[in-house]
């Protein structure tokens, strides 16, 4: 092998080694920023949902106190509209959570492969990287389960409200009020979950920036 060929082979090996160490390209950081924007948008939507549901509850109480049949019917119509909108939003958020979970699983597999590759070549691999990716994958699976649970809860509430539709006796009205309150509490839990998810998204961005600087 002549000098030029030897230099070329050495250059290729060094380039491959450098590429292997850059496990978080700029594209992943851009994806992290998109997820942060998406989570912030979902938080705004959840806060809006809580405000709308609280307004419905206030109208419900007022109509009940005044025995205003027309207003009560309008409140029920508005509640159905909100529930339909929330179901659409929940399905969209589930789709987003699934996509993020798949991405984190791919990143975990890639990191595990890189760790094995480093070990086979006698290179040190930061154990923190595999640990962080495993944690991210676990958190994203948890988010998917939370979205599925929210959809099921809303579906159950919608079915019960449908059965109570138009009924004005005391027991039915008490139950309707309880169901509206359940929807408010569900939306408030989603706000809490959204804040946690935002913290996780921001942490992932910091880690990806740190990973991009390695090597």
């Amino acid at each position: 092998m002549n000098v030029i060929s030897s230099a070329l082979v050495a250059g290729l090996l060094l380039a491959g080694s450098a590429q292997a160490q850059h496990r978080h390209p700029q594209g992943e950081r851009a994806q992290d920023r998109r997820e942060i924007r998406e989570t912030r948008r979902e938080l705004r939507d959840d806060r809006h949902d809580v405000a709308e549901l609280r307004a419905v509850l206030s109208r419900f109480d007022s109509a009940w106190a005044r025995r205003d049949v027309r207003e009560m019917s309008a409140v029920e119509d508005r509640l159905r509209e909100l529930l339909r909108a929330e179901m659409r939003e929940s399905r969209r958020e589930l789709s987003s959570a699934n996509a993020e979970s798949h991405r984190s699983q791919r990143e975990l597999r890639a990191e595990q492969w890189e760790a094995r590759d480093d070990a086979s070549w006698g290179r040190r691999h930061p154990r923190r990287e595999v640990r962080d990716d495993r944690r991210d994958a676990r958190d994203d699976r948890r988010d998917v389960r939370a979205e599925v649970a929210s959809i099921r809860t809303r579906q159950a509430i919608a079915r019960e409200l449908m059965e109570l539709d138009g009924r004005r006796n005391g027991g039915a009205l008490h139950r309707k009020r309880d169901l509206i309150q359940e929807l408010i509490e569900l939306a408030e839990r989603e706000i809490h979950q959204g804040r946690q998810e935002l913290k996780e998204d921001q942490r992932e961005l910091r880690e990806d920036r740190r990973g991009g600087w390695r090597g």
Side-chain angles (χ1 to χ4, degrees):
M1 183 180 294
N2 59 35
V3 175
I4 295 176
S5 298
S6 298
L8 179 59
V9 170
L12 289 172
L13 288 173
L14 287 172
S17 176
Q19 287 176 353
Q21 292 180 29
H22 287 282
R23 59 176 294 271
H24 290 299
Q26 187 173 359
E28 287 193 12
R29 295 196 293 274
Q31 175 66 26
D32 291 336
R33 287 189 287 270
R34 283 193 294 272
E35 288 173 0
I36 287 172
R37 289 195 297 270
E38 176 70 9
T39 301
R40 284 174 173 159
R41 188 197 64 76
E42 290 173 0
L43 268 172
R44 288 194 299 270
D45 289 344
D46 289 339
R47 292 189 186 105
H48 178 75
D49 291 343
V50 169
E52 290 283 353
L53 287 167
R54 288 193 180 282
V56 164
L57 182 60
S58 178
R59 289 178 61 191
F60 180 91
D61 288 343
S62 177
W64 190 359
R66 292 183 286 109
R67 300 294 190 270
D68 189 333
V69 175
R70 178 178 294 181
E71 174 65 4
M72 185 62 76
S73 295
V75 169
E76 290 174 335
D77 289 343
R78 179 58 180 154
L79 183 57
R80 281 193 294 271
E81 290 174 5
L82 289 175
L83 254 177
R84 284 194 293 268
E86 287 186 6
M87 287 298 298
R88 288 193 298 270
E89 180 68 13
S90 292
R91 292 188 183 100
R92 193 195 60 75
E93 290 177 2
L94 175 59
S95 177
S96 176
N98 267 318
E100 188 168 349
S101 180
H102 291 325
R103 183 175 81 98
S104 64
Q105 290 292 335
R106 287 194 301 270
E107 289 181 358
L108 174 59
R109 288 194 296 269
E111 189 62 50
Q112 289 171 330
W113 179 89
E114 187 176 329
R116 289 192 296 269
D117 185 60
D118 283 348
S120 68
W121 286 92
R123 296 191 297 260
R124 291 187 60 189
H125 189 90
R127 286 181 294 178
R128 179 188 61 209
E129 300 297 343
V130 174
R131 182 195 64 208
D132 289 349
D133 281 354
R134 187 176 290 119
R135 179 203 59 213
D136 293 341
R138 182 184 64 245
D139 290 345
D140 289 340
R141 288 194 301 270
R142 179 206 62 206
D143 293 341
V144 170
R145 290 194 297 270
E147 293 296 344
V148 170
S150 293
I151 288 175
R152 289 175 176 169
T153 299
R154 286 193 171 94
Q155 287 174 334
I157 291 174
R159 284 194 297 269
E160 191 166 355
L161 283 171
M162 188 178 300
E163 294 170 0
L164 296 170
D165 191 47
R167 293 170 58 181
R168 299 287 183 264
N169 60 70
L173 292 174
H174 277 292
R175 184 54 185 156
K176 287 180 187 179
R177 192 183 193 284
D178 288 344
L179 292 171
I180 296 171
Q181 190 63 48
E182 282 186 38
L183 288 170
I184 292 172
E185 291 169 359
L186 176 59
E188 288 174 338
R189 286 197 300 272
E190 288 174 340
I191 289 174
H192 175 72
Q193 292 165 359
R195 288 172 179 156
Q196 291 298 114
E197 187 175 345
L198 181 59
K199 290 179 182 178
E200 292 163 8
D201 291 342
Q202 291 168 335
R203 184 196 64 225
E204 286 183 30
L205 177 59
R206 289 193 299 270
E207 290 171 354
D208 285 354
R209 283 171 174 164
R210 182 188 64 211
W213 294 331
R214 285 197 296 119

